[in-house]
Amino acid sequence: MTFAGGTVEAEESPLMQWKLTEHGPLDEQVHIQVGTRGREYYVDHTGFGDRSFPDKGTAWDAIKDLMRRHRGTWRETPCDRTPFEELRPPDGSRVLYDTGGNCLFGHWGEDKDDRWNRYLDALDGGRTFHLTEAHALFGGGIEAVTYTEPDTGAERHAVTTAVDPGSDYCVVDYPDREAAAAAYEKEVHGHADGEFGYRASDLPEIPVDPDSRLPNDLRMLDDGTVIAEADYEYLYGPPPSRITWPRTPSSVPPGRVRGMTAAPRDWGPGEARVEDVTPAAWHEENPGLRSKALALLALADGRVLLASGHDGTARVWSARDGGQLRDVVGHSEWVLSVALVVLGDGQVVLATGGKDGLARLWTVQEGLPVRELEAHRSPVNAVAWVCPPGEVPRLVTGSDDATVRVWDPDTGREVATFEVGEPSIDIVCSVATAVLPDGHVCVVAGTDDSMTASVHVWDVTAGQRLHRFTIERDDDGIRGPRVAVVTLADRSFRVAVAVGGTVRVWDGLTGEVVRTSSLPAARESAVAMAVLPDLRVAVAATDGGRTVVWDAESGAQLATATSGRPAFPPAVALAARPDGGLLLAVGRRDGAPAQLLRLDL
């Protein structure tokens, strides 16, 4: 209505109101009010909202249609705006669903299930901008999501509170993001529990306990029910894997492991030709993609895959065109380590290790979560695959809890555990694996107690430690160690370690040092190895800014490379190409998945 001097809202005059009585158990006490607003009539329903009509007849038809959507008895009641404002306060918020109180869901009558399913689909397709995860005993959390309202198409912002989804579940949405963010913070603070702390939260002032997970003797079913692990296996048997794990074929008859068949050469090949083959798509800066871990996998058909770990995600890329093949999210905290394996049927599986103590497995082709392992009660700093002949692949994990564990991914069971010292003191920084010429599984781990770096070499199949190499340090700022291991055609194997700027290579059988190389002034470095027919072993090391590749047998320097801004932590991966060359991936700080270099020897 327009008046002289501007436009004002028409005065609202309620005429009649009805309430629903004798309603069903999932229905609330619904109210309908009719009145005039200027020259029009309005009909307001507590669940479906307010609509305007040009005359009394069309308004009355709308009232009858709304009443038919509910089972129960309608009785006239005095006009009162309170029932409407409880669900839709003046700030524009709406209580969509609440297991413990009045909500729009209970006012939607016979439409409630279909209507709520549309809202759930819209919320699931929204963008999360805040998240706090509850203790694993409850399995819920508090989440703020921007979504598209299914009825109007408007953008709204919902806060879902489901700390214990089996008993409490509430969804309230708001017209602006700031109001939703404030409500989210209020909910997080209001549900904090000193005994059962949150697993993770993006509010810096909220204390979290990453180890707040189910005790080992309990298991949570898909519906949220918690039962004893023994009861679960009695009732259901071991949890099934989502994929078939083929056994690794036995291509070479096992034989005795040997030491190096010749002394290290004092001559070597000339420098390799280095070509930067970083895909163009990776040159665009993206600060959110800084790699914390890398893994390369060269497939028999010539494709090369790169896996990278970032803050809360892991990605798999095609090294041919730089395309992103898969993006997986499942850890509540940083992804610290990644590893790729190709199965006997050609399927590729990604393993991720997280700061949340979990190891997760994913199919690269579909992005399906294959299995979640509660691997450690501390961050999983390292993951590695190994494929023993005649068996399914094994996953190896290393953690701050001073243990290295070997897992059967098919059953989810632990195959072996190796202790390296005191939890939170002796930190497992890295792991590497190989199958020895006798068919046994070899696991190498680099550990650090802040004073001494150690390299442990185990024969997992025989259940014995083969070596422990120690490196005394006089600089507490140096971090590490990072390890690598490879087997050679002459039935020997090599173990490498990078600590600070020093890189050492040992004969795996005898424990004798083969070569020592250096990255001057490096305080932390990463190492990788690959086997070539002519060079036998190539070793790559990087401190994030400088990368050097050596021939381990002669000590000759094959190639050097530098990146713009040094990556932290440094990450490097090396893969032998079918044509006899090398492909080198180095982590970058500017947001690219990696710098990719081709070495022609």
PDB file of all heavy atoms in Angstrom, residues 559-579:
ATOM      1  N   ALA A 559      71.170 -35.725 -11.533  1.00  0.00           N
ATOM      2  CA  ALA A 559      70.337 -34.580 -11.891  1.00  0.00           C
ATOM      3  C   ALA A 559      70.097 -33.716 -10.665  1.00  0.00           C
ATOM      4  O   ALA A 559      70.150 -34.186  -9.524  1.00  0.00           O
ATOM      5  CB  ALA A 559      69.001 -35.053 -12.457  1.00  0.00           C
ATOM      6  N   THR A 560      69.845 -32.440 -10.908  1.00  0.00           N
ATOM      7  CA  THR A 560      69.466 -31.511  -9.848  1.00  0.00           C
ATOM      8  C   THR A 560      68.296 -30.680 -10.343  1.00  0.00           C
ATOM      9  O   THR A 560      68.123 -30.479 -11.554  1.00  0.00           O
ATOM     10  CB  THR A 560      70.620 -30.568  -9.460  1.00  0.00           C
ATOM     11  OG1 THR A 560      71.003 -29.805 -10.605  1.00  0.00           O
ATOM     12  CG2 THR A 560      71.798 -31.344  -8.932  1.00  0.00           C
ATOM     13  N   ALA A 561      67.495 -30.214  -9.412  1.00  0.00           N
ATOM     14  CA  ALA A 561      66.352 -29.372  -9.755  1.00  0.00           C
ATOM     15  C   ALA A 561      66.052 -28.469  -8.577  1.00  0.00           C
ATOM     16  O   ALA A 561      66.331 -28.800  -7.424  1.00  0.00           O
ATOM     17  CB  ALA A 561      65.138 -30.227 -10.094  1.00  0.00           C
ATOM     18  N   THR A 562      65.484 -27.317  -8.857  1.00  0.00           N
ATOM     19  CA  THR A 562      65.067 -26.389  -7.809  1.00  0.00           C
ATOM     20  C   THR A 562      63.629 -25.975  -8.064  1.00  0.00           C
ATOM     21  O   THR A 562      63.175 -25.931  -9.215  1.00  0.00           O
ATOM     22  CB  THR A 562      65.949 -25.132  -7.769  1.00  0.00           C
ATOM     23  OG1 THR A 562      65.891 -24.480  -9.035  1.00  0.00           O
ATOM     24  CG2 THR A 562      67.380 -25.488  -7.433  1.00  0.00           C
ATOM     25  N   SER A 563      62.924 -25.701  -6.980  1.00  0.00           N
ATOM     26  CA  SER A 563      61.554 -25.209  -7.095  1.00  0.00           C
ATOM     27  C   SER A 563      61.518 -23.795  -6.544  1.00  0.00           C
ATOM     28  O   SER A 563      62.461 -23.339  -5.892  1.00  0.00           O
ATOM     29  CB  SER A 563      60.583 -26.112  -6.332  1.00  0.00           C
ATOM     30  OG  SER A 563      60.934 -26.173  -4.970  1.00  0.00           O
ATOM     31  N   GLY A 564      60.396 -23.105  -6.784  1.00  0.00           N
ATOM     32  CA  GLY A 564      60.299 -21.713  -6.381  1.00  0.00           C
ATOM     33  C   GLY A 564      60.371 -21.530  -4.876  1.00  0.00           C
ATOM     34  O   GLY A 564      61.389 -21.136  -4.319  1.00  0.00           O
ATOM     35  N   ARG A 565      59.310 -21.841  -4.176  1.00  0.00           N
ATOM     36  CA  ARG A 565      59.268 -21.697  -2.725  1.00  0.00           C
ATOM     37  C   ARG A 565      59.366 -23.075  -2.101  1.00  0.00           C
ATOM     38  O   ARG A 565      58.592 -23.970  -2.432  1.00  0.00           O
ATOM     39  CB  ARG A 565      57.955 -21.017  -2.315  1.00  0.00           C
ATOM     40  CG  ARG A 565      57.752 -19.651  -2.948  1.00  0.00           C
ATOM     41  CD  ARG A 565      56.379 -19.104  -2.646  1.00  0.00           C
ATOM     42  NE  ARG A 565      56.205 -18.861  -1.218  1.00  0.00           N
ATOM     43  CZ  ARG A 565      55.014 -18.625  -0.645  1.00  0.00           C
ATOM     44  NH1 ARG A 565      53.933 -18.615  -1.390  1.00  0.00           N
ATOM     45  NH2 ARG A 565      54.938 -18.394   0.643  1.00  0.00           N
ATOM     46  N   PRO A 566      60.303 -23.297  -1.210  1.00  0.00           N
ATOM     47  CA  PRO A 566      60.476 -24.626  -0.626  1.00  0.00           C
ATOM     48  C   PRO A 566      59.201 -25.132   0.038  1.00  0.00           C
ATOM     49  O   PRO A 566      58.518 -24.404   0.749  1.00  0.00           O
ATOM     50  CB  PRO A 566      61.591 -24.410   0.419  1.00  0.00           C
ATOM     51  CG  PRO A 566      62.322 -23.200  -0.060  1.00  0.00           C
ATOM     52  CD  PRO A 566      61.304 -22.327  -0.702  1.00  0.00           C
ATOM     53  N   ALA A 567      58.888 -26.389  -0.225  1.00  0.00           N
ATOM     54  CA  ALA A 567      57.704 -27.006   0.364  1.00  0.00           C
ATOM     55  C   ALA A 567      58.011 -27.485   1.773  1.00  0.00           C
ATOM     56  O   ALA A 567      59.122 -27.915   2.071  1.00  0.00           O
ATOM     57  CB  ALA A 567      57.249 -28.180  -0.493  1.00  0.00           C
ATOM     58  N   PHE A 568      57.037 -27.401   2.661  1.00  0.00           N
ATOM     59  CA  PHE A 568      57.199 -27.925   4.014  1.00  0.00           C
ATOM     60  C   PHE A 568      55.918 -28.650   4.397  1.00  0.00           C
ATOM     61  O   PHE A 568      54.839 -28.089   4.315  1.00  0.00           O
ATOM     62  CB  PHE A 568      57.470 -26.808   5.009  1.00  0.00           C
ATOM     63  CG  PHE A 568      57.685 -27.326   6.411  1.00  0.00           C
ATOM     64  CD1 PHE A 568      58.910 -27.836   6.778  1.00  0.00           C
ATOM     65  CD2 PHE A 568      56.652 -27.330   7.321  1.00  0.00           C
ATOM     66  CE1 PHE A 568      59.099 -28.330   8.058  1.00  0.00           C
ATOM     67  CE2 PHE A 568      56.826 -27.825   8.589  1.00  0.00           C
ATOM     68  CZ  PHE A 568      58.063 -28.321   8.965  1.00  0.00           C
ATOM     69  N   PRO A 569      56.033 -29.928   4.821  1.00  0.00           N
ATOM     70  CA  PRO A 569      57.270 -30.714   4.850  1.00  0.00           C
ATOM     71  C   PRO A 569      57.666 -31.143   3.441  1.00  0.00           C
ATOM     72  O   PRO A 569      56.813 -31.207   2.555  1.00  0.00           O
ATOM     73  CB  PRO A 569      56.870 -31.926   5.692  1.00  0.00           C
ATOM     74  CG  PRO A 569      55.406 -32.084   5.448  1.00  0.00           C
ATOM     75  CD  PRO A 569      54.857 -30.690   5.316  1.00  0.00           C
ATOM     76  N   PRO A 570      58.962 -31.425   3.221  1.00  0.00           N
ATOM     77  CA  PRO A 570      59.387 -31.851   1.890  1.00  0.00           C
ATOM     78  C   PRO A 570      58.795 -33.204   1.532  1.00  0.00           C
ATOM     79  O   PRO A 570      58.603 -34.060   2.405  1.00  0.00           O
ATOM     80  CB  PRO A 570      60.909 -31.919   2.014  1.00  0.00           C
ATOM     81  CG  PRO A 570      61.184 -32.076   3.465  1.00  0.00           C
ATOM     82  CD  PRO A 570      60.084 -31.355   4.173  1.00  0.00           C
ATOM     83  N   ALA A 571      58.473 -33.386   0.267  1.00  0.00           N
ATOM     84  CA  ALA A 571      57.910 -34.660  -0.200  1.00  0.00           C
ATOM     85  C   ALA A 571      58.491 -34.975  -1.559  1.00  0.00           C
ATOM     86  O   ALA A 571      58.645 -34.085  -2.415  1.00  0.00           O
ATOM     87  CB  ALA A 571      56.388 -34.573  -0.289  1.00  0.00           C
ATOM     88  N   VAL A 572      58.857 -36.239  -1.782  1.00  0.00           N
ATOM     89  CA  VAL A 572      59.433 -36.658  -3.050  1.00  0.00           C
ATOM     90  C   VAL A 572      58.995 -38.084  -3.348  1.00  0.00           C
ATOM     91  O   VAL A 572      58.779 -38.894  -2.427  1.00  0.00           O
ATOM     92  CB  VAL A 572      60.985 -36.570  -3.002  1.00  0.00           C
ATOM     93  CG1 VAL A 572      61.567 -37.552  -2.009  1.00  0.00           C
ATOM     94  CG2 VAL A 572      61.594 -36.763  -4.388  1.00  0.00           C
ATOM     95  N   ALA A 573      58.820 -38.375  -4.626  1.00  0.00           N
ATOM     96  CA  ALA A 573      58.475 -39.727  -5.065  1.00  0.00           C
ATOM     97  C   ALA A 573      59.202 -39.999  -6.367  1.00  0.00           C
ATOM     98  O   ALA A 573      59.425 -39.083  -7.173  1.00  0.00           O
ATOM     99  CB  ALA A 573      56.970 -39.888  -5.248  1.00  0.00           C
ATOM    100  N   LEU A 574      59.573 -41.243  -6.589  1.00  0.00           N
ATOM    101  CA  LEU A 574      60.381 -41.636  -7.741  1.00  0.00           C
ATOM    102  C   LEU A 574      59.787 -42.897  -8.337  1.00  0.00           C
ATOM    103  O   LEU A 574      59.430 -43.829  -7.596  1.00  0.00           O
ATOM    104  CB  LEU A 574      61.822 -41.879  -7.299  1.00  0.00           C
ATOM    105  CG  LEU A 574      62.930 -41.940  -8.355  1.00  0.00           C
ATOM    106  CD1 LEU A 574      63.031 -40.628  -9.113  1.00  0.00           C
ATOM    107  CD2 LEU A 574      64.261 -42.277  -7.683  1.00  0.00           C
ATOM    108  N   ALA A 575      59.659 -42.943  -9.654  1.00  0.00           N
ATOM    109  CA  ALA A 575      59.127 -44.126 -10.325  1.00  0.00           C
ATOM    110  C   ALA A 575      59.957 -44.420 -11.563  1.00  0.00           C
ATOM    111  O   ALA A 575      60.348 -43.500 -12.298  1.00  0.00           O
ATOM    112  CB  ALA A 575      57.661 -43.927 -10.718  1.00  0.00           C
ATOM    113  N   ALA A 576      60.251 -45.708 -11.788  1.00  0.00           N
ATOM    114  CA  ALA A 576      60.969 -46.124 -12.992  1.00  0.00           C
ATOM    115  C   ALA A 576      59.990 -46.250 -14.148  1.00  0.00           C
ATOM    116  O   ALA A 576      58.915 -46.836 -14.003  1.00  0.00           O
ATOM    117  CB  ALA A 576      61.668 -47.458 -12.741  1.00  0.00           C
ATOM    118  N   ARG A 577      60.342 -45.672 -15.292  1.00  0.00           N
ATOM    119  CA  ARG A 577      59.495 -45.755 -16.467  1.00  0.00           C
ATOM    120  C   ARG A 577      59.824 -47.025 -17.248  1.00  0.00           C
ATOM    121  O   ARG A 577      60.951 -47.525 -17.202  1.00  0.00           O
ATOM    122  CB  ARG A 577      59.707 -44.534 -17.368  1.00  0.00           C
ATOM    123  CG  ARG A 577      59.469 -43.197 -16.676  1.00  0.00           C
ATOM    124  CD  ARG A 577      59.193 -42.098 -17.709  1.00  0.00           C
ATOM    125  NE  ARG A 577      60.046 -42.180 -18.885  1.00  0.00           N
ATOM    126  CZ  ARG A 577      61.162 -41.490 -19.054  1.00  0.00           C
ATOM    127  NH1 ARG A 577      61.589 -40.672 -18.105  1.00  0.00           N
ATOM    128  NH2 ARG A 577      61.861 -41.615 -20.163  1.00  0.00           N
ATOM    129  N   PRO A 578      58.848 -47.550 -17.984  1.00  0.00           N
ATOM    130  CA  PRO A 578      59.113 -48.769 -18.772  1.00  0.00           C
ATOM    131  C   PRO A 578      60.242 -48.610 -19.790  1.00  0.00           C
ATOM    132  O   PRO A 578      60.887 -49.587 -20.156  1.00  0.00           O
ATOM    133  CB  PRO A 578      57.758 -49.018 -19.475  1.00  0.00           C
ATOM    134  CG  PRO A 578      56.751 -48.348 -18.609  1.00  0.00           C
ATOM    135  CD  PRO A 578      57.435 -47.149 -18.043  1.00  0.00           C
ATOM    136  N   ASP A 579      60.515 -47.367 -20.233  1.00  0.00           N
ATOM    137  CA  ASP A 579      61.563 -47.164 -21.231  1.00  0.00           C
ATOM    138  C   ASP A 579      62.953 -47.041 -20.607  1.00  0.00           C
ATOM    139  O   ASP A 579      63.923 -46.759 -21.299  1.00  0.00           O
ATOM    140  CB  ASP A 579      61.258 -45.923 -22.079  1.00  0.00           C
ATOM    141  CG  ASP A 579      61.206 -44.640 -21.244  1.00  0.00           C
ATOM    142  OD1 ASP A 579      61.457 -44.703 -20.019  1.00  0.00           O
ATOM    143  OD2 ASP A 579      60.894 -43.581 -21.820  1.00  0.00           O
TER     144      ASP A 579
END
